[in-house]
Amino acid sequence: MRNRTQGGARPSVQKLYVTASAAAITLALAGTAWAQTAPKDDETVDAIVVTGIRASIQNSINIKKNETSIVEAVSAEDIGKLPDVSIAESIARLPGLAAQRVNGRAQVISIRGLAPDFTTTLLNGRQQASSGDNRAVEFDQYPSELLNSVVIYKSPDGQVAGMGLSGTADLRVVRPLAYGKRAVAVNIRGEKTAGKKLNDDASNWGGRYSASYINQFADGTFGVALGYAHLDSPSQVKHYKAYGYEAFPADSISPDSADGALMLNGQEIFATSRNNKRDAWIGIFEYEPNEKIHSTLDLYYSTFKQKEIMRGAQWFSNPFADGVTFADVTTADVGGSKFATGGVIRNAVLQLRNDYNTRMDQLFSAGWNTEYQLGEKTKVVADLSYSSNKRKEQVLETYAGYGRGIGGVTPATGDVGRTYDGIRFGVSTDGFSQYQEGLSYDDASRVTLGDRAPWGGWGHDGSIRFPHVKEDVTAVDIRLEHEMDGFITQLSSGVNYTERDKGKTVSDNDLFLKNGRQQVYVDGADLVDPTQLGFAGFGGVLSVKIGDAWSKYYNWAPILDANFYDKNWDINEKVTTAFARATFAAGDLRGNVGVQVVRQEQSSTGVVINGLASGQPIVPTKINAKDSYTDVLPSLNLIYDLGGGHRLRAALSKTMARPRMDEMRANVTPGFNALACSSQPCGPGTTVNPWSASGGNPHLRPWEAKAADLAYEWYISPATYVSVAGFYKKLDTYIYSQTGTFDFTGIPIPVGASIPAGTNINPIGQITLPANGNGGNLRGLEFSGAVDLGQFASLLKGLGVQGSLSLTKSNLNPTTSTSPVRIPGLSKTVYNITGYYERGGFQARISQRYRSAFKGEVVQLFATRGYTEILADRQVDAQVGYTFQDGPLENLGILLQVNNLTDSPYRTRLGLDGSGTKTGNGGALPETYEKYGRQILFGVNYRF
C-alpha cells in the first residue's frame, strides 16, 4: 500500500496526520469498527463504532500521543464539523491556550502566556499572511467547516521553518487519497443573537452553510477534496465606558456629605450591531501515480466582509466643562474610598454618535508540494507556497446634539447649538451605570448634526478614515530525507526561503458640515427608528442612516498631521533557513534533534515627519533603513516509554519570534522645543538641546528564548488520558519602548523658534522608540486529561469529561522605569472543562472556559492600537444533537447550539500597570462593561 502523506506539511506532521487524523475519521465515517481487542479468527464480535465527540477526542489524543514534538490538537467530529462554531473557540479549550474576545468573538490566541505576536500560524504547514497590523492571524478568517484538525506545537520541529516562540498553530484540511473514500457532507445552520435587535437597520438573524466533497479517481491515484462555506453571522454589543474618576471642588457638589467623593468625570453608552459575512473555498488535488512521485496542490480563498452600525451618546460630567454641578449625590464606601453612587448632574451637554464602519478582507493561499523517491530510502520534497491578505476598512464617526445654532462650535463660538440638560445617574462598579435624561434625544425636530463637545469643540463634525493593509508571503522549501537503520532512523536537511512584504496606509479625513459647518436637521428619508439605550436606563437617540447619507451633509478634508504620516509604512523581510534534523530510536527512547541557521534581512520604508511651523503643512522626508543578522536555533525532543501507556517527554530548544511589524517602521517624528531658551541663558557661545523624537525601529532584532519542557503522560484507553507538563522559557531579550540618541542633522528648524542668533543648537537629541531590552523568564504548569466514564461502569456508557488547567508566571518587566509593567497576553490562570454524553445517536455537551485578568491589545482612539487590562472572563457554551442511525434519514443530524450561555460580560478597568485612579486600598475602578447576548444556532447536517 502506498504511503499517503500530507503534501503541504513536514514529514513529522505528514505521517501523524494520515495515521491519526484521516485514518481515524475514515473509520468513523465509514462505519468501520474500532475494536477494543482483536478477535480470534473463529470468533464473531460486535463492532464498536466510534463517531462524533468521542471520535474527535480519540483523534486528538492520537495526534498528541504519536507526535514527537510536544503538541495539543483538536480534530473534527465529522467532515465539516469541528467541535465549535469557530477555530479560535475550539483551540482556546486546549491546555496552555487562551482566547481574547473581540466584539464578542474569540479571535486571537495567546499560547503559554505570551501575546499573539509570538505565535506563528500555518495552513497545511505553510506560513500565512495576516490582515492585522502585525503578524498575528485572525482565526475567524478560516471557517471551521473546512478544517479537519488544528495542531498546536509547543516545542519546535527542527525542519519546520518559521515556528513561533510561544508555539505554532497548524490548521489542516483533509487529504483525499489518505481519506480513501467518497464522501459528501452538507451543513446548514440558522443563527440568532438573543434579544431584540439594538439598531433598527440591522438584523440579529443570520445563517451559515457549507458543503464538502471528497473522492478518488484513476484507480486511487488521483484525489480531490472540494469545500465551500458561507457565513452570515450577526452580533450585538451593549457598551458602556467610564472615562475616569476624580474628586471635584466642594462648591460643585451637594450635599456637603458628598464632598471629596470620587466621581465619574465622563461616560459613553453605545448600542452596536455587526454583521459578518464570509465566503470561503478550498480545493485539494492530490496525485500519486506510482511509488516514486506524490504531488499535492492546496488552494484556499476567502472574502470576509464586516459591517458595523454604532449609535449612542457620550458626555463629560466634569465641573471644568460647562460649569457642571451635582445635586442629591449619594455615596458609599468602595475600596476604602468615598465613592459617588448616584445623583443629578446639571448643565450636561450630550454628544450623540452615529457611526458606520466597514471592513473587507481577502485571503488567498496556494501551496504545491511534491515528493520524489530517489531510491529505496531517499526522497526529495519540494514545497512552493504563496499567501496574500488584503484588508480595506472605513471608520466613520459623526456627531449630533440637541438644539440648533448658527454655524458650528469653535473656540470663538463655544456654545453654538449646545443645550444643557439635567441627568439623574446611578454609577455601577460592576455593570451598566443607569441614566435618566431630561431632553428627548430621539426627536428629529430638536436634534441636529454638528459638534457639541465642550472647550470649543473637537474642531470637526466627524471623521472618516480608510485603513488599508496588504501582506504577501512567498516561500520555497526544499528538503532531502534519507531513511537509515540503527540508532539514527532518518536524516533530513534542506533550506527554506521566505519573503514577506507588508504595507499599511491610513487616509485620515475630517468631516465638516456644509454651509460653513451650519448645524442641520436630518432629512426624514435618512432616518430609521431611534436606537434605544434602555440597558443603561437611557431612552432613545436619533438614528441616522449615516453610511448612505454622510456625503449629503458633509465635506471632507485630509488630516495631514504627524499621526497620519506615522501610521503609513512598508516592511520587507527575506528569511533564509538552512535546517537539519535527525530522528532516532533505541529501545523505549525515541526523539529527534535538529538545528536551524536563520539568516534574516529586513528593510523598512518610512518618513521623517517635519513640522516646520504651527498650522503649516508637514514636509515628510522619505527614508529607507535595513539590517540583517543570523541566528542559530537548536532543538531536541525526547520520548521515553515507561510501559503500560505511561511515558515521559522532554524538550530543549532555542526559539524566536520576529518583531512586531508596526514597531519596525522607519518613521521618525521630530519634536523641537522652541522655548528652550526660556529655561537657560542663550546667545553666542551657549549650547541648547531642543531636539527630541519618537518613532519606530527598523533595526529591531527578534525576541529570542531558551525553552525547556518536561511532561508526564498516561494513555489509559482510546478516549482517556492524563497529562502533567511544566515549561520554562528564558527570554534573552524583550522589545519595549526605550530612550536613545538620534542625530537631527539636516532636519529644518521650525519657523518661529525663539533661539537667539549665535546660539549653538546641538543636533543630537533623544528619541523614544521600541528597542531590544532586558528579558526574563516565563514558567508554568499545565494539567490536562480526558476520561471516558463508560469504561468504568456500563451505567456511565456514553458519558465523559475532558479539561485542562494552566498556571503561568513571569518576571518579565518590559520597562526602563522602576514601576513594574506586565507583558500582554499573560493570564495567570486558565482552565477549561467539558462534560459530554453521546449514545445511540444522541449527543450533548456543555463547556466552560475561564481566563483570569490580563493585559490585552484593543482598538483605541483614531483607529490606533493600545493596551488595557481585560478582567477575568468565564464563558459557558452548550450543544445538543441527534444523528439518525438507520432508516431513510440515516446520517441526518440535527443540532442546537448556544454559545455564551450565561451572557458573560466583557470588562476592563481604568489604568494599567499601576496607573489610573485608585481607591483607598489601592484597588482599580471599572472602565468598560459590555454584553453580547447569547448566540443561538440550530441546524442540520447530512453525510452520504
Side-chain angles (χ1 to χ4, degrees):
M1 181 177 177
R2 297 188 179 102
N3 177 27
R4 310 291 190 189
T5 58
Q6 182 182 4
R10 311 303 184 247
S12 59
V13 175
Q14 296 169 358
K15 296 172 184 176
L16 172 64
Y17 181 84
V18 172
T19 58
S21 183
I25 290 183
T26 301
L27 293 174
L29 296 181
T32 306
W34 186 318
Q36 299 289 338
T37 58
K40 297 179 181 179
D41 292 340
D42 59 350
E43 287 182 337
T44 300
V45 297
D46 292 332
I48 299 175
V49 180
V50 182
T51 60
I53 297 173
R54 283 182 297 164
S56 173
I57 293 173
Q58 289 184 9
N59 297 336
S60 300
I61 291 174
N62 275 339
I63 293 175
K64 180 180 178 69
K65 178 180 178 181
N66 295 327
E67 175 60 60
T68 305
S69 299
I70 297 175
V71 306
E72 308 292 346
V74 59
S75 298
E77 299 175 14
D78 204 332
I79 297 176
K81 190 181 177 186
L82 274 177
D84 295 279
V85 295
S86 77
I87 302 166
E89 297 281 358
S90 289
I91 63 179
R93 304 190 192 285
L94 296 174
L97 278 72
Q100 178 179 329
R101 287 201 287 178
V102 178
N103 302 325
R105 297 173 178 268
Q107 187 180 77
V108 293
I109 298 293
S110 295
I111 299 179
R112 288 183 160 177
L114 288 170
D117 299 315
F118 293 87
T119 301
T120 297
T121 300
L122 312 175
L123 178 62
N124 298 323
R126 305 177 179 103
Q127 293 186 49
Q128 293 296 286
S130 166
S131 62
D133 289 359
N134 289 289
R135 303 174 191 276
V137 165
E138 297 175 358
F139 285 95
D140 52 7
Q141 292 190 347
Y142 297 87
S144 60
E145 297 91 339
L146 300 183
L147 292 180
N148 194 44
S149 62
V150 182
V151 177
I152 306 296
Y153 285 86
K154 292 181 175 178
S155 67
D157 185 308
Q159 65 177 7
V160 181
M163 298 200 92
L165 186 148
S166 61
T168 303
D170 189 13
L171 317 179
R172 302 177 184 174
V173 299
V174 72
R175 288 290 176 248
L177 291 185
Y179 188 80
K181 301 283 184 179
R182 174 186 175 274
V184 178
V186 178
N187 295 282
I188 302 173
R189 297 185 193 178
E191 181 176 341
K192 184 182 186 299
T193 303
K196 297 180 179 180
K197 59 183 182 180
L198 297 182
N199 287 283
D200 183 64
D201 49 348
S203 175
N204 58 353
W205 286 89
R208 56 182 73 195
Y209 51 85
S210 66
S212 299
Y213 169 77
I214 303 172
N215 210 346
Q216 302 77 35
F217 305 93
D219 195 26
T221 63
F222 182 70
V224 175
L226 303 173
Y228 169 72
H230 173 76
L231 171 76
D232 184 352
S233 179
S235 64
Q236 300 194 135
V237 182
K238 299 174 181 177
H239 167 90
Y240 166 79
K241 182 178 180 180
Y243 294 160
Y245 305 85
E246 57 185 304
F248 295 137
D251 59 2
S252 64
I253 303 169
S254 65
D256 293 342
S257 60
D259 291 352
L262 289 175
M263 302 195 69
L264 188 60
N265 62 16
Q267 56 270 296
E268 64 187 31
I269 314 165
F270 297 139
T272 301
S273 300
R274 291 184 175 90
N275 180 258
N276 302 288
K277 288 187 177 181
R278 182 189 60 216
D279 291 282
W281 296 262
I282 62 165
I284 300 97
F285 305 92
E286 192 174 9
Y287 182 55
E288 191 175 8
N290 52 52
E291 299 288 345
K292 284 186 172 292
I293 190 166
H294 181 193
S295 189
T296 306
L297 175 66
D298 294 308
L299 299 173
Y300 174 76
Y301 177 75
S302 71
T303 60
F304 195 7
K305 299 177 182 179
Q306 302 175 68
K307 181 177 75 173
E308 175 183 275
I309 299 168
M310 187 189 84
R311 298 184 176 107
Q314 56 188 163
W315 67 97
F316 291 99
S317 45
N318 188 323
F320 304 106
D322 303 316
V324 162
T325 60
F326 302 90
D328 302 331
V329 176
T330 58
T331 63
D333 184 280
V334 175
S337 291
K338 186 188 297 185
F339 185 85
T341 58
V344 177
I345 177 176
R346 309 291 188 192
N347 288 348
V349 179
L350 274 62
Q351 183 98 291
L352 305 182
R353 290 280 293 273
N354 279 267
D355 294 6
Y356 182 80
N357 305 322
T358 62
R359 172 173 167 173
M360 179 175 178
D361 297 79
Q362 289 179 287
L363 172 59
F364 174 71
S365 181
W368 181 27
N369 181 278
T370 300
E371 302 176 3
Y372 185 77
Q373 200 76 29
L374 297 175
E376 183 179 351
K377 295 186 177 182
T378 305
K379 71 177 177 181
V380 63
V381 182
D383 192 275
L384 308 177
S385 64
Y386 173 75
S387 179
S388 174
N389 212 324
K390 302 175 185 178
R391 170 182 124 215
K392 293 185 177 181
E393 279 188 274
Q394 172 189 286
V395 182
L396 167 65
E397 65 177 56
T398 64
Y399 316 133
Y402 194 94
R404 182 179 181 271
I406 304 302
V409 174
T410 69
T413 56
D415 284 325
V416 170
R418 302 179 75 243
T419 305
Y420 297 97
D421 195 4
I423 301 175
R424 181 165 292 279
F425 64 91
V427 179
S428 173
T429 56
D430 190 20
F432 293 112
S433 292
Q434 299 294 302
Y435 301 92
Q436 184 177 347
E437 72 277 23
L439 301 174
S440 298
Y441 293 97
D442 57 358
D443 187 346
S445 67
R446 302 293 184 185
V447 174
T448 61
L449 299 177
D451 183 16
R452 300 300 202 280
W455 300 297
W458 287 344
H460 55 266
D461 300 304
S463 65
I464 187 166
R465 308 174 193 276
F466 300 98
H468 290 176
V469 174
K470 185 178 187 297
E471 181 172 9
D472 296 294
V473 179
T474 305
V476 180
D477 190 286
I478 300 176
R479 181 175 69 256
L480 186 69
E481 297 179 3
H482 181 69
E483 305 294 331
M484 302 179 66
D485 299 320
F487 176 69
I488 303 295
T489 59
Q490 185 194 69
L491 285 174
S492 65
S493 61
V495 63
N496 176 283
Y497 174 80
T498 300
E499 183 168 357
R500 183 184 300 266
D501 287 288
K502 186 158 193 164
K504 180 180 181 181
T505 61
V506 182
S507 173
D508 287 344
N509 304 274
D510 277 331
L511 296 181
F512 300 98
L513 287 167
K514 296 180 178 180
N515 301 318
R517 298 188 63 191
Q518 173 58 51
Q519 296 173 6
V520 60
Y521 294 108
V522 180
D523 190 323
D526 299 322
L527 296 174
V528 295
D529 288 348
T531 296
Q532 302 298 319
L533 304 175
F535 60 88
F538 207 90
V541 293
L542 192 74
S543 297
V544 186
K545 294 186 291 186
I546 202 67
D548 299 325
W550 70 269
S551 59
K552 175 179 177 180
Y553 297 95
Y554 298 93
N555 295 318
W556 61 325
I559 308 172
L560 300 178
D561 59 3
N563 187 52
F564 161 76
Y565 288 102
D566 196 35
K567 288 190 290 189
N568 294 269
W569 43 264
D570 290 284
I571 307 291
N572 175 266
E573 296 176 343
K574 299 175 182 177
V575 181
T576 303
T577 304
F579 57 85
R581 192 194 71 170
T583 61
F584 54 84
D588 294 323
L589 178 69
R590 63 186 176 93
N592 64 55
V593 60
V595 65
Q596 296 184 350
V597 179
V598 186
R599 176 66 176 176
Q600 300 159 92
E601 301 176 16
Q602 61 192 39
S603 62
S604 175
T605 301
V607 293
V608 176
I609 305 162
N610 299 324
L612 297 181
S614 177
Q616 297 299 311
I618 288 175
V619 182
T621 303
K622 188 174 182 179
I623 58 173
N624 294 285
K626 59 180 60 179
D627 208 338
S628 62
Y629 42 88
T630 302
D631 286 281
V632 179
L633 307 176
S635 62
L636 172 68
N637 291 284
L638 296 172
I639 300 175
Y640 187 78
D641 196 330
L642 300 171
H646 302 270
R647 61 172 58 185
L648 292 175
R649 288 183 182 267
L652 296 172
S653 62
K654 182 179 179 182
T655 58
M656 73 174 188
R658 302 274 297 139
R660 288 173 56 104
M661 303 195 84
D662 59 352
E663 293 185 341
M664 293 172 64
R665 69 193 190 282
N667 295 339
V668 176
T669 305
F672 188 90
N673 182 8
L675 303 176
C677 290
S678 64
S679 59
Q680 72 171 80
C682 291
T686 62
T687 300
V688 293
N689 299 276
W691 286 109
S692 63
S694 62
N697 185 355
H699 304 288
L700 282 174
R701 301 298 174 94
W703 290 290
E704 296 180 347
K706 299 178 181 68
D709 290 82
L710 183 65
Y712 161 75
E713 299 168 351
W714 181 19
Y715 296 95
I716 303 168
S717 71
T720 301
Y721 86 99
V722 175
S723 174
V724 180
F727 70 90
Y728 178 87
K729 293 183 185 291
K730 174 64 172 68
L731 274 76
D732 301 323
T733 181
Y734 198 91
I735 298 170
Y736 52 91
S737 183
Q738 300 174 56
T739 300
T741 58
F742 186 81
D743 187 350
F744 293 86
T745 300
I747 298 178
I749 296 172
V751 177
S754 302
I755 308 296
T759 303
N760 180 38
I761 298 176
N762 188 350
I764 305 300
Q766 290 188 331
I767 185 170
T768 301
L769 75 177
N772 295 91
N774 295 329
N777 65 65
L778 188 76
R779 58 199 184 278
L781 289 173
E782 297 168 349
F783 306 87
S784 62
V787 180
D788 181 358
L789 296 173
Q791 66 184 326
F792 302 111
S794 58
L795 185 65
L796 302 177
K797 187 176 181 180
L799 283 171
V801 63
Q802 63 179 149
S804 66
L805 168 66
S806 303
L807 306 172
T808 309
K809 290 185 178 181
S810 174
N811 70 355
L812 284 161
N813 189 29
T815 181
T816 55
S817 71
T818 56
S819 300
V821 171
R822 291 174 300 167
I823 60 172
L826 175 60
S827 290
K828 292 183 178 180
T829 303
V830 176
Y831 74 74
N832 300 275
I833 186 167
T834 298
Y836 67 88
Y837 177 76
E838 185 174 48
R839 189 171 182 180
F842 177 81
Q843 66 170 226
R845 177 175 57 202
I846 186 166
S847 303
Q848 184 180 86
R849 187 175 72 237
Y850 171 82
R851 181 178 190 180
S852 62
F854 67 101
K855 182 178 182 178
E857 187 178 24
V858 297
V859 176
Q860 297 183 327
L861 288 174
F862 311 122
T864 58
R865 310 290 291 188
Y867 295 103
T868 189
E869 180 171 0
I870 300 175
L871 300 182
D873 181 33
R874 182 180 286 105
Q875 183 171 327
V876 177
D877 304 317
Q879 68 178 53
V880 60
Y882 180 76
T883 301
F884 292 91
Q885 304 294 291
D886 49 35
L889 298 179
E890 183 179 0
N891 292 328
L892 177 68
I894 55 176
L895 178 72
L896 174 65
Q897 193 163 359
V898 182
N899 296 327
N900 195 22
L901 184 66
T902 58
D903 195 11
S904 64
Y906 168 91
R907 303 169 301 154
T908 69
R909 72 163 179 85
L910 275 167
L912 187 64
D913 297 325
S915 64
T917 304
K918 297 290 188 296
T919 61
N921 63 7
L925 292 166
E927 180 189 37
T928 303
Y929 190 89
E930 293 181 349
K931 280 204 165 186
Y932 308 115
R934 299 171 184 85
Q935 181 189 30
I936 303 168
L937 298 100
F938 178 79
V940 298
N941 53 78
Y942 183 60
R943 173 180 48 81
F944 57 93

